[in-house]
Amino acid sequence: MPQKQIELQDRIIIALDVENPDLAKEMVKRCESHTRYFKVGLQLFMASYFEVVDWILDRGHKVMLDLKFFDIPETVKLAVEQVNNRGVSLATIHGNDAIIRAAMEARGDLQLLAVTVLTSFGEEDLRAMGMTQSVEDLVLFRARRALELGCDGVVSSGLEAERLRKDLGDKLLIVTPGIRPGANVSDGSDDQKRIVTAGRAIATGADHVVVGRPITKADDPIRVIEEMQKDIVRNGNEIN
Ligand code: C5P
């Protein structure tokens, strides 16, 4: 399956999970020589709303807005309208068919990603919520529905990327969090359970990896980014 033509600088989306806009801006300035894609999630958005999003966009970078909208279809549609046409590249939603359809109606220039199963969930978490399918089957089922409903892509772990790519083809955008340098099995040291390395995620079919703590908590974030980019190139990124 040919990989999409995505430049190396756009492969890693840095999750700016920090408590205020000043820290986020500091992190962007530190990393922008190497990456130009940044994720604003719940913590930072609650601290600055669109101010930091607009600041990142004004510097010429891309933004993934990861607020994982989940509500009745009309509310999700109205929320997506608020994000639309502001220059944000990717936004995330959860949902069943009706929610995804409503979000798609409002999506305009945004690319919408449906979250399949959070990367912090393992099999036991699904059982605890009364679900009987395996994580992989549920991810595939939800991704297939999202694609059929016209969604641009999905968020899934690197453990499912290969099967998603094989079964659903090249059109679907696959964005993969749960990235840990040098590890394809969780050691239980944090909340992420379905983890892989950046290289493995891209090699098996992910278009982008989302990386937070391994970069934002590192003493030398640039060194971590460079190692991950080397790992991605070693594993078959086409453009570097
Ligand atoms: O620090 P870490 O690398 O685990 O950060 C992963 C980021 O990706 C977090 O911002 C988290 O909200 C996000 N994310 C995730 N799993 C998903 C969707 C988003 O970990 N399914």
Side-chain angles (χ1 to χ4, degrees):
M1 189 70 61
Q3 283 188 330
K4 293 187 194 74
Q5 297 284 305
I6 297 173
E7 290 185 32
L8 189 57
Q9 282 183 314
D10 287 339
R11 287 288 192 188
I12 299 173
I13 302 176
I14 299 185
L16 295 171
D17 295 329
V18 293
E19 66 204 50
N20 64 56
D22 289 343
L23 288 172
K25 290 175 187 176
E26 208 179 290
M27 187 54 65
V28 171
K29 286 182 193 164
R30 257 179 117 172
C31 299
E32 65 190 354
S33 56
H34 287 63
T35 64
R36 50 189 187 210
Y37 218 142
F38 298 92
K39 183 172 91 68
V40 175
L42 288 171
Q43 182 190 21
L44 182 58
F45 194 76
M46 295 316 292
S48 64
Y49 304 111
F50 280 103
E51 189 242 307
V52 78
V53 171
D54 292 340
W55 182 88
I56 297 168
L57 293 172
D58 285 346
R59 288 178 88 80
H61 305 314
K62 293 184 187 164
V63 170
M64 170 175 169
L65 189 61
D66 183 25
L67 302 178
K68 300 187 183 68
F69 295 140
F70 182 53
D71 209 310
I72 62 167
E74 183 65 11
T75 303
V76 169
K77 180 177 153 191
L78 296 174
V80 170
E81 276 174 9
Q82 295 291 333
V83 181
N84 203 12
N85 299 324
R86 303 189 63 115
V88 170
S89 299
L90 293 173
T92 51
I93 55 168
H94 273 282
N96 68 348
D97 289 12
I99 296 171
I100 294 177
R101 256 190 224 109
M104 292 305 294
E105 259 178 58
R107 113 186 193 285
D109 68 348
L110 262 181
Q111 290 203 297
L112 280 184
L113 301 176
V115 177
T116 54
V117 175
L118 291 173
T119 44
S120 59
F121 282 12
E123 301 290 340
E124 65 288 2
D125 297 297
L126 294 193
R127 300 296 92 78
M129 290 191 302
M131 296 175 186
T132 52
Q133 279 161 297
S134 69
V135 170
E136 190 178 281
D137 285 347
L138 188 56
V139 168
L140 187 73
F141 174 80
R142 289 180 171 173
R144 193 186 297 282
R145 286 305 299 147
L147 184 65
E148 283 168 8
L149 292 162
C151 226
D152 301 288
V154 294
V155 183
S156 84
S157 93
L159 298 178
E160 299 94 38
E162 188 164 13
R163 187 160 163 214
L164 288 176
R165 197 50 87 208
K166 194 162 137 269
D167 288 13
L168 302 182
D170 206 26
K171 197 171 150 246
L172 192 74
L173 200 60
I174 301 176
V175 176
T176 293
I179 300 300
R180 292 295 175 263
N184 287 308
V185 178
S186 168
D187 63 3
S189 61
D190 64 31
D191 53 355
Q192 295 284 21
K193 290 187 184 155
R194 302 196 332 277
I195 64 161
V196 298
T197 61
R200 172 164 167 192
I202 299 293
T204 55
D207 296 297
H208 301 277
V209 290
V210 169
V211 188
R213 288 161 289 185
I215 292 175
T216 57
K217 303 260 185 245
D219 293 334
D220 186 352
I222 290 293
R223 197 185 55 76
V224 177
I225 294 169
E226 283 177 345
E227 285 302 318
M228 283 188 179
Q229 288 179 331
K230 273 190 217 151
D231 189 27
I232 290 170
V233 169
R234 262 198 309 273
N235 282 284
N237 190 73
E238 287 178 348
I239 302 177
N240 38 60

